[in-house]
Amino acid sequence: MAKRKKRLSVWGVLARLGHTGDQDDIIQHVFEATSRVTLRSHDGKPLDGDNFLCAVFDSLGSNKDWPACGSSDWERLRQDALRRVVARLAREGLLDCVAVSPTATATPKD
């Protein structure tokens, strides 16, 4: 029987990158750091981090009115966006851009 790799939650990944404390502050840091990087678009061309974040928020419905700040729906949408952003950064090998500790690693150990 094959052994399954243990996956870290988004919060586990961020903890390995040195994030501790208030989740709202962590989310804001990740969004701000992501806005300053260049990713690859689906056709391999450079994609500005701001444009990527806009696409994530649009896919979650930010082109409509978001729920009131601090509401449970607002929190859920921010958590969804955070998961998408961290997953994309991981796929592109860019998690170090959101690290707060220079020696932190987000690679899960078997």
Side-chain angles (χ1 to χ4, degrees), residues 22-108:
D22 183 61
Q23 287 187 351
D24 229 20
D25 291 341
I26 294 170
I27 292 171
Q28 192 61 37
H29 175 263
V30 170
F31 290 165
E32 287 174 4
T34 301
S35 72
R36 295 187 295 267
V37 299
T38 301
L39 302 138
R40 283 172 285 161
S41 65
H42 53 59
D43 60 0
K45 294 181 181 177
L47 174 65
D48 184 66
D50 276 336
N51 292 337
F52 167 67
L53 286 172
C54 287
V56 167
F57 293 129
D58 283 346
S59 73
L60 292 171
S62 72
N63 51 356
K64 305 175 215 156
D65 289 335
W66 267 39
C69 182
S71 70
S72 59
D73 284 339
W74 181 82
E75 292 288 338
R76 182 187 53 76
L77 287 170
R78 281 178 52 96
Q79 295 276 337
D80 288 348
L82 179 69
R83 279 190 289 280
R84 292 179 188 201
V85 167
V86 170
R88 178 66 177 266
L89 293 173
R91 275 195 309 273
E92 295 204 22
L94 295 171
L95 282 173
D96 59 333
C97 79
V98 296
V100 293
S101 171
T103 59
T105 178
T107 306

